């Protein structure tokens, strides 16, 4: 299973534009300038969300510049509706920009996307992890590189079509879950730093629902209004990530044994990269009680399976922690709620900060299916307090 | 926004008014140039007049001119007529040459972008012609003026070497008309590529000039137009415009010292503003209208975007049709690192350029350099 499948679920709601704050000194993006004097770069993927983001800001009178990142190219004109940033989508983004009469540029980020996102994705699977390339992409090409380019272009703001809210708190900008919990993408943005949050804006975070966004797209006359949502990882056709890894690392995907907790061989597999912690289906070892993937052992190439009870974990070790709360990452224990995968509702936990960006999260109740490589994101109510990458769990 | 400043003549030049007049006149003509009746003859007359004008531009005979849709088609027609293994091209050639001869041997250029003639000779010696009389002739392809740097290639010397080794010489001269004089005989070119829209003519017209006795293998087959070398009804109005533009090439050449003066002024001011800025090809003979230089630490595409937002049109080395920008193979061939090559932009001037254009460019370039160049110096890019 790929976690980002859960990013887009059908939503309902009425179509209203995001509310515009009325404070006269600041425009709707919180900049003390007239909209016409505020240069805004919108990251346009060619999809409905970022297209509506651009249209809303154009309507509000901002100087909007559309930038589309060309992240990969399968060549051969392969049509992939519902995936972002390939040729079709660059074309769609350009059509929307044309419709809105805004300047639009395409940046070739293929080599850095390959190096920072795709290679990392393949290597993580080979290490027995379950990576989330969408977060890596946000962390690197979008909020580091594109943000730097937006600054170089003299833009005050980089706006994206993510469903997440940026609110001003007593100590500065805060990241919050989207108004529509079904659309919330905050899990995928946990690596956003405080410094990055400053110039970032997410105009759709306040939208009631995706259908409200589509209604706006209709009202703006955007051709992408009916375009299907992105369903998969953009560079993984048809959700077949195993095929992508086979292609990227043809010599690294090797067969091995499926064993039980005691080490007894139950069957064979075609490569640990085809499995993820907590997976039940497709093990090919039938009979008896339901078995789950409990552990992946890259060195011995073993897939260890066991009963559901063997998946229970209460202590989760994190690295690469990003803290969005005030001050430094709390060492003493910070009560919060955490999400250990994108589709999950936050659960109660206590966070203990460690050295060098590490942390330990102690769960109030055991969780089943905590997979290394996934993200653990911390919440305080609707506010995102940060998060980290899961190294392992006990 | 200030008035739009166009500084991308090497991509395409504004249409000359006289060219527009000639095209409008041609558009009023009904008739297929291949038709037998008088309507056809009228259209045919337009084409043949243009053929004389094009031939006269390069010192060729009218019957040596094959009209094409542009430079890319002419390069494909030329290179595609030879066996790839027998082709040697310079490393700084346009993509339409490199793409048309994927199997070609690449001859290096020096740090100024000038073809290394000794290397060319060595490559031809290492790969001598087959004794077999039926073996296909070989070809050397060298551009006259580089599109990115304006550097003028040693075409005549390369032709001498090519001919001494039994090879023909093709010259992509697309950037030269209206900027320097072209004479096929003194260049020693057997095949020469031209394009109308770089010289104030329309897009969609070009020519391959094939010296008498040199034949090419048609890509487009059909009705036998262009002596069978290029089938398809001719683009009469565009060809008329092409011809008219050729007649104005002398005016363009006379204008070069004005443009070169501004170009030199631009380069001096860029150097004063950013002493680390690298200038490409300034040590070689160059077109007077072209300048290629870097803004240290700032990506070419960022410069192109920022200048565009300031109303100034320039280009980054190698823009492809989608508008995205790749690292220039020309600058890489000149020894530039990827980081340096990917921070270069090309400024190219032409007949409508004004003195104030340079001021406007310098102002916007400086502002960007203060904003982005300083930031990249403080925090070197990963």
């Amino acid at each position: 299973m790929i976690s980002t499948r859960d990013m887009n679920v059908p939503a309902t709601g009425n179509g209203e534009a995001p509310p515009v704050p009325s404070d006269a000194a600041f425009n709707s993006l919180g900049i003390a300038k007239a909209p016409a004097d505020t240069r805004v770069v919108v990251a346009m993927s060619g999809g409905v969300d970022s297209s509506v983001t651009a249209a809303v800001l154009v309507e509000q009178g901002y100087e909007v510049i559309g930038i589309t990142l060309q992240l990969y190219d399968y060549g051969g004109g392969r049509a992939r509706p519902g995936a972002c940033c390939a040729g079709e989508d660059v074309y769609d983004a350009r059509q929307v920009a044309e419709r809105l009469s805004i300047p639009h540029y395409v940046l070739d980020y293929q080599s850095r996307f390959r190096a920072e996102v795709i290679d990392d994705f393949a290597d993580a699977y080979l290490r027995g992890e379950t990576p989330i390339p969408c977060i890596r992409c946000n962390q690197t090409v979008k909020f580091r590189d594109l943000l730097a380019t937006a600054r170089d272009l003299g833009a005050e703001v980089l706006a994206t079509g993510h469903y997440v809210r940026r609110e001003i708190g007593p100590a500065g900008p805060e990241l919050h879950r989207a108004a529509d919990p079904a659309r919330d993408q905050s899990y995928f943005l946990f690596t956003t730093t405080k410094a990055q949050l400053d110039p970032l804006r997410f105009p759709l975070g306040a939208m009631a629902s995706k259908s409200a966004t589509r209604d706006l797209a209709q009202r703006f006359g955007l051709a992408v209004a009916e375009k299907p949502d992105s369903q998969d990882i953009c560079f993984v056709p048809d959700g077949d990530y195993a095929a992508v890894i086979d292609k990227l690392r043809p010599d690294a995907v090797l067969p091995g044994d499926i064993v039980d907790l005691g080490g007894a061989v139950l069957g064979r597999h075609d490569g640990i990269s085809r499995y993820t912690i907590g997976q039940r289906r497709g093990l090919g070892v039938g009979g008896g009680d339901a078995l789950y993937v409990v552990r992946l052992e890259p060195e011995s190439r073993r897939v260890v399976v066991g009963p559901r009870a063997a998946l229970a974990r209460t202590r989760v070790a994190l690295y690469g922690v990003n803290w969005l709360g005030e001050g430094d990452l709390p060492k003493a224990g910070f009560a919060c709620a955490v999400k250990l995968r994108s589709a999950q509702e936050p659960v109660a936990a206590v966070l203990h900060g460690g050295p060098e960006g590490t942390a330990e999260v102690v769960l109030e109740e055991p969780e089943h299916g905590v997979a290394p490589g996934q993200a653990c994101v911390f919440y305080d109510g609707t506010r995102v307090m940060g998060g980290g990458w899961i190294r392992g769990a006990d | 926004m200030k008035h739009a400043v166009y500084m991308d003549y090497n991509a395409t030049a504004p249409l000359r008014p006289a060219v527009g007049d000639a095209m409008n006149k041609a558009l009023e003509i009904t008739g297929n140039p291949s038709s037998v009746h008088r309507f056809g003859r009228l259209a045919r007359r337009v084409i043949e007049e243009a053929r004389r004008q094009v031939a006269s531009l390069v010192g060729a005979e009218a019957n040596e001119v094959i009209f094409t849709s542009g430079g890319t088609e002419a390069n494909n027609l030329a290179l595609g007529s030879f066996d790839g293994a027998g082709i040697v091209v310079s490393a700084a050639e346009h993509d339409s040459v490199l793409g048309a001869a994927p199997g070609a041997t690449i001859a290096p250029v020096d740090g100024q972008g000038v073809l290394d003639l000794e290397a060319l000779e060595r490559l031809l010696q290492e790969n001598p012609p087959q004794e077999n009389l039926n073996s296909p002739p070989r070809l050397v392809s060298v551009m006259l003026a580089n599109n990115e740097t304006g550097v003028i290639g040693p075409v005549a010397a390369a032709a001498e070497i090519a001919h001494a080794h039994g090879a023909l010489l093709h010259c992509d001269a697309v950037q030269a008309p209206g900027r320097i004089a072209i004479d096929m005989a003194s260049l020693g070119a057997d095949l020469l590529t031209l394009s109308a829209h770089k010289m104030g003519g329309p897009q969609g017209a070009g020519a391959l000039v094939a010296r008498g006795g040199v034949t090419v293998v048609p890509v487009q087959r059909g009705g036998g137009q262009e002596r069978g070398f290029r089938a398809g009804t001719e683009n009469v109005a565009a060809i008329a415009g092409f011809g008219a533009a050729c007649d104005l090439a002398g005016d363009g050449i006379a204008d070069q010292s004005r443009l070169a003066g501004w170009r030199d002024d631009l380069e001096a001011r860029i150097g004063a503003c950013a002493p680390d800025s690298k200038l490409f090809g300034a040590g070689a003979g160059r077109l007077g209208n072209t300048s290629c230089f870097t803004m240290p630490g700032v990506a070419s595409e960022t410069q192109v975007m920022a200048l565009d937002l300031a109303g100034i049109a320039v280009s980054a080395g190698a823009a492809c049709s989608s508008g995205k920008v790749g690292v220039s193979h020309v600058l890489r061939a000149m020894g530039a690192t990827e980081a340096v090559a990917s921070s270069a932009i090309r400024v190219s001037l032409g007949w409508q350029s004004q003195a104030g254009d340079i001021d406007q460019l310098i102002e916007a370039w400086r502002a960007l350099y203060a904003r982005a160049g300083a930031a990249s110096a403080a925090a070197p890019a990963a």
Side-chain angles (χ1 to χ4, degrees), chain B residues 2-77:
Chain B
K2 294 170 185 167
H3 83 277
V5 172
Y6 188 76
M7 300 181 131
D8 204 11
Y9 280 70
N10 289 13
T12 202
L15 203 74
R16 297 258 193 186
V19 170
D21 293 345
M23 292 178 71
N24 281 322
K25 236 173 105 187
L27 283 167
E28 285 168 11
I29 297 171
T30 301
N32 185 322
S34 297
S35 296
V36 175
H37 45 64
R38 64 181 297 271
F39 295 90
R41 284 197 301 279
L42 280 174
R44 164 68 44 200
R45 184 188 297 168
V46 170
I47 299 230
E48 295 313 322
E49 171 63 14
R51 201 184 303 281
R52 283 189 288 276
Q53 290 166 312
V54 172
S56 152
L57 173 77
V58 298
E61 298 296 326
N63 63 9
E64 296 174 329
V65 174
I66 304 163
F67 283 118
T68 67
S69 63
T72 290
E73 188 193 330
N75 282 338
N76 275 270
L77 187 55

Side-chain angles (χ1 to χ4, degrees), chain A residues 39 65 70 94 103 105-107 110 149 151-154, chain B residues 301-302 305-306 308-309 321-325 368 371-372:
Chain A
R39 183 172 281 182
I65 297 156
Q70 171 117 28
R94 179 167 304 190
Y105 306 103
V106 181
L107 294 180
Q110 290 183 75
T149 298
R151 281 216 179 86
D152 288 347
L153 294 180
Chain B
E301 64 258 33
T302 303
M305 291 187 290
D308 180 42
L309 294 170
S321 59
S322 71
K324 68 181 186 182
V325 173
L368 174 63
R371 192 163 64 220

Side-chain angles (χ1 to χ4, degrees), chain A residues 52-343:
Chain A
V52 168
T53 301
V56 164
L57 295 173
V58 168
E59 188 178 60
Q60 292 177 8
Y62 290 96
E63 186 199 353
V64 177
I65 297 156
I67 295 188
T68 301
L69 304 179
Q70 171 117 28
L71 298 179
Y72 60 90
D73 187 359
Y74 282 104
R78 179 169 189 165
R80 289 237 301 123
C84 81
C85 309
E88 275 301 290
D89 301 283
V90 169
Y91 175 82
D92 288 343
R94 179 167 304 190
Q95 295 299 108
V96 169
E98 186 63 32
R99 165 99 197 167
L100 299 174
S101 299
I102 58 171
H104 176 254
Y105 306 103
V106 181
L107 294 180
D108 181 3
Y109 275 16
Q110 290 183 75
S111 59
R112 64 181 89 187
F113 186 72
R114 167 85 196 225
E116 306 252 23
V117 180
I118 299 183
D119 284 348
D120 175 78
F121 170 83
D123 292 337
Y125 263 114
L126 295 176
R127 287 195 302 269
E129 298 180 1
T130 308
I132 314 175
C134 303
I135 300 182
R136 289 279 180 212
C137 177
N138 288 331
Q139 183 177 15
T140 56
V141 300
K142 287 204 186 111
F143 292 164
R144 185 193 64 204
D145 299 344
L146 178 57
L147 189 54
T149 298
R151 281 216 179 86
D152 288 347
L153 294 180
E156 272 96 351
V157 164
L158 172 65
T160 77
H162 287 113
Y163 287 83
V164 67
R165 284 179 300 141
R166 175 188 177 278
E167 306 280 336
I168 298 298
E174 300 174 353
L175 194 62
H176 285 260
R177 300 189 68 177
D180 175 8
R183 303 295 312 178
D184 175 48
Q185 292 176 317
S186 60
Y187 182 81
F188 297 95
L189 296 169
F190 88 85
T191 59
T192 311
T193 65
K194 291 176 194 174
Q196 289 167 345
L197 204 47
D198 207 42
L200 283 169
R201 298 295 186 277
F202 312 102
L204 299 189
M207 294 290 283
S209 69
K210 176 82 174 208
S211 66
T213 305
R214 289 199 185 278
D215 291 348
L216 272 182
Q218 291 281 10
R219 180 161 78 71
F220 288 121
L222 304 181
V224 293
E226 300 301 326
K227 196 172 168 180
D229 286 355
S230 51
Q231 293 295 326
D232 294 315
I233 294 171
C234 65
F235 59 91
V236 178
D238 311 318
D240 187 0
Y241 73 91
V244 170
I245 296 164
D246 289 347
K247 200 171 156 198
L248 288 167
R249 301 283 186 272
D251 303 323
V253 180
L254 299 167
D257 290 331
I258 299 176
V259 301
D260 68 13
L261 292 172
V265 176
L266 303 179
R268 294 284 289 172
H269 67 79
D270 291 335
I272 62 164
S273 56
R274 286 169 166 70
Y275 299 88
T276 190
I277 305 290
Q279 177 178 341
R280 193 172 89 174
R281 289 190 193 141
L283 293 180
V285 286
D289 293 334
L291 289 172
Y292 298 80
V293 174
V294 172
R295 197 164 65 241
L296 297 167
E297 297 180 348
E299 295 82 17
S300 59
R301 303 204 298 270
R302 295 202 307 179
V303 173
V304 182
V305 300
R308 185 165 189 275
L311 284 170
R313 300 284 183 273
T314 54
R315 305 176 81 85
V316 184
L318 307 180
Y319 67 97
V321 172
N322 179 46
W323 177 246
L324 283 171
E326 284 75 48
D328 293 328
L329 180 62
K331 304 253 185 290
F334 176 79
C336 58
V338 300
K339 275 174 77 160
L340 297 158
R341 48 188 180 273
S342 65

